[in-house]
C-alpha cells in the first residue's frame, strides 16, 4: 500500500506581478477573498484532505504569511476584553496547531521547480502534495481530498486537470491522456503551453499535485528550462518515464486569484457561498448603485 499523503508544499514566494500595484507591500496570497485571505482557502482544502504538515516556501517581504498563522496577542487580548468571543473563536479556529507549519525561504526566484526542491529535507522520503496558492478550487468534493482518496488506490504521482476551450490550450500546461479510469486518466505525457494545433488534449494541469519524493533528486539536477527557470514539469516528464502518473478530473470551478479577473470572480463566489442571502442582497444593491448596502 502507498504511504498516506500528510505533507503539503505551498510555494508563496512569488511577487504577484499580475495584480500590481495591490501586491507591492501585501503578499498576493494575503489579499482578502471576502472575509479571509486567499491562502486560507487553500489551507482549508488541505485540511479537508488530511494534510498534517504545511511547508510554505517563502521569500523576502512575505513575513505577513508567517504572522497570519501565529498568535496576535494584542488583538486577541483586545477582543477578549470586549467580549467579542465570536471573532476570537474564529481566529482560534483558523490558527493551525503549533508545529504543523514550516517556513523555508527560496532565496532567489528560480522557478516553481526550485521552490519545491527547497522543501526536500522537510519532505524526506514521503509522498507529498503541491498546492499552488493562486488557485481557489471550489467543488462538492475538495480537489485535494478527491486526489488523496484516489491516490490511496493507485499510488504513484497525480495532477489535477480541467477541460478548457481548445483555443485556450496554449496558455496552460496540458496532459497527453491515456486510458480513462473514471475519475482518473492515465497520463502518457505533458506539454507546457503547446500551439493550439499541436496540443495532445484540452485538459489543463490546474494547480494540485501529489508527487513521490524521487522527484526531489531530479529537481536538484534539473537545468533551467522555459524562462530560464527550473520547471517542475520538466522533472515530472522525466519521472513519468519510470513511474506511474494519473490525472484527477476535478469537477468544480477553479478561480485564479493571481489575475485581476479571477480574483474578482473568486471574491464574488466566496461571498455568495459564505452567506447566500446576505451576500446576494449586498451584491444586488451594489450592482444597482445603492451605496447604503
Amino acid at each position: 500500500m502507498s504511504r498516506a499523503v500528510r505533507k503539503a508544499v505551498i510555494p508563496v514566494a512569488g511577487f504577484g506581478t499580475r495584480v500590481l500595484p495591490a501586491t507591492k507591500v501585501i503578499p498576493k496570497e494575503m489579499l482578502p477573498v471576502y472575509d479571509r485571505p486567499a491562502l486560507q482557502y487553500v489551507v482549508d482544502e488541505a485540511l479537508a484532505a488530511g494534510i498534517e504538515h504545511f511547508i510554505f516556501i517563502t521569500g523576502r517581504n512575505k513575513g505577513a504569511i508567517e504572522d497570519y498563522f501565529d498568535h496576535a496577542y494584542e488583538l486577541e487580548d483586545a477582543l477578549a476584553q470586549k467580549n467579542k468571543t465570536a471573532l476570537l473563536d474564529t481566529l482560534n479556529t483558523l490558527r493551525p496547531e503549533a508545529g504543523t507549519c514550516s517556513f523555508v525561504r527560496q532565496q532567489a526566484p528560480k522557478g516553481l521547480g526550485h521552490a519545491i526542491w527547497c522543501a526536500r529535507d522537510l519532505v524526506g522520503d514521503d509522498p507529498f502534495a503541491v498546492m499552488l496558492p493562486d488557485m481557489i478550487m471550489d467543488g462538492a468534493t475538495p480537489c485535494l481530498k478527491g486526489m488523496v482518496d484516489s491516490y490511496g488506490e493507485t499510488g504513484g504521482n497525480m495532477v489535477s486537470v480541467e477541460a478548457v476551450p481548445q483555443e485556450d490550450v496554449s496558455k496552460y500546461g496540458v496532459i497527453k491522456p491515456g486510458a480513462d479510469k473514471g475519475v482518473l486518466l492515465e497520463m502518457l505525457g505533458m506539454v507546457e503551453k503547446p500551439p493550439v494545433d499541436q496540443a495532445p488534449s484540452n485538459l489543463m494541469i490546474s494547480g494540485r499535485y501529489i508527487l513521490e519524493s524521487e522527484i526531489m533528486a531530479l529537481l536538484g539536477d534539473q537545468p533551467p528550462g522555459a524562462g530560464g527557470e527550473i520547471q517542475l514539469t520538466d522533472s515530472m516528464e522525466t519521472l513519468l518515464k519510470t513511474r506511474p502518473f494519473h490525472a484527477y478530473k476535478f469537477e468544480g470551478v477553479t478561480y485564479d486569484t493571481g489575475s485581476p479577473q479571477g480574483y474578482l470572480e473568486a471574491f464574488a463566489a466566496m461571498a455568495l457561498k459564505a452567506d447566500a442571502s446576505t451576500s446576494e442582497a449586498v451584491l444586488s444593491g451594489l450592482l444597482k448603485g445603492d451605496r447604503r448596502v
Side-chain angles (χ1 to χ4, degrees):
M1 293 181 63
S2 301
R3 278 186 282 183
V5 180
R6 293 287 181 256
K7 299 176 181 178
V9 177
I10 306 178
V12 293
F15 291 124
T17 53
R18 291 186 293 164
V19 283
L20 281 170
T23 52
K24 182 178 179 181
V25 295
I26 301 173
K28 63 178 180 178
E29 300 84 5
M30 298 305 295
L31 291 175
V33 176
Y34 187 49
D35 64 346
R36 61 200 61 205
L39 184 57
Q40 183 66 58
Y41 294 94
V42 179
V43 170
D44 288 346
E45 180 189 334
L47 289 169
I51 296 299
E52 299 173 357
H53 187 184
F54 296 88
I55 305 168
F56 296 95
I57 310 302
T58 71
R60 287 182 292 277
N61 302 318
K62 294 282 186 162
I65 294 175
E66 190 167 351
D67 290 341
Y68 175 76
F69 292 106
D70 197 359
H71 281 282
Y73 292 103
E74 295 85 354
L75 172 61
E76 292 168 12
D77 182 65
L79 292 175
Q81 290 189 33
K82 295 179 181 179
N83 292 319
K84 295 186 176 182
T85 55
L87 286 174
L88 188 58
D89 289 343
T90 297
L91 293 181
N92 290 333
T93 299
L94 294 178
R95 185 176 56 253
E97 185 178 351
T100 60
C101 294
S102 298
F103 299 87
V104 179
R105 280 210 173 184
Q106 183 186 20
Q107 297 170 331
K110 295 183 178 180
L112 177 60
H114 180 262
I116 303 308
W117 180 75
C118 289
R120 62 197 182 280
D121 287 341
L122 289 168
V123 166
D125 296 329
D126 295 324
F128 63 101
V130 174
M131 307 180 74
L132 301 189
D134 289 345
M135 303 299 187
I136 293 179
M137 306 181 76
D138 185 29
T141 299
C143 183
L144 189 62
K145 176 172 173 47
M147 293 176 68
V148 167
D149 290 346
S150 296
Y151 172 85
E153 300 176 4
T154 65
N157 302 268
M158 193 174 296
V159 301
S160 62
V161 295
E162 295 177 45
V164 297
Q166 187 67 31
E167 61 268 23
D168 291 338
V169 294
S170 60
K171 302 176 183 178
Y172 307 102
V174 299
I175 69 161
K176 180 180 180 181
D180 191 325
K181 302 179 180 180
V183 74
L184 297 180
L185 286 168
E186 180 186 8
M187 266 179 69
L188 302 180
M190 63 199 84
V191 183
E192 190 68 29
K193 299 180 179 179
V196 172
D197 60 347
Q198 298 177 27
S201 74
N202 69 332
L203 296 172
M204 75 162 183
I205 301 174
S206 57
R208 300 292 185 265
Y209 311 74
I210 294 176
L211 299 171
E212 295 174 298
S213 60
E214 286 84 352
I215 201 165
M216 291 300 188
L218 298 175
L219 289 170
D221 294 333
Q222 182 71 51
E229 297 182 338
I230 297 172
Q231 298 292 342
L232 177 60
T233 51
D234 290 343
S235 289
M236 288 169 59
E237 285 187 277
T238 301
L239 186 59
L240 186 145
K241 296 175 182 177
T242 59
R243 297 293 299 157
F245 266 78
H246 290 89
Y248 173 79
K249 293 182 283 187
F250 174 60
E251 295 186 359
V253 181
T254 297
Y255 302 98
D256 180 4
T257 61
S259 70
Q261 180 177 340
Y263 174 76
L264 179 60
E265 291 172 350
F267 196 108
M270 295 304 106
L272 290 169
K273 187 174 181 178
D275 187 344
S277 59
T278 300
S279 299
E280 286 177 2
V282 170
L283 289 175
S284 176
L286 290 173
L287 291 173
K288 293 177 181 177
D290 186 350
R291 297 180 180 272
R292 294 172 297 174
V293 296

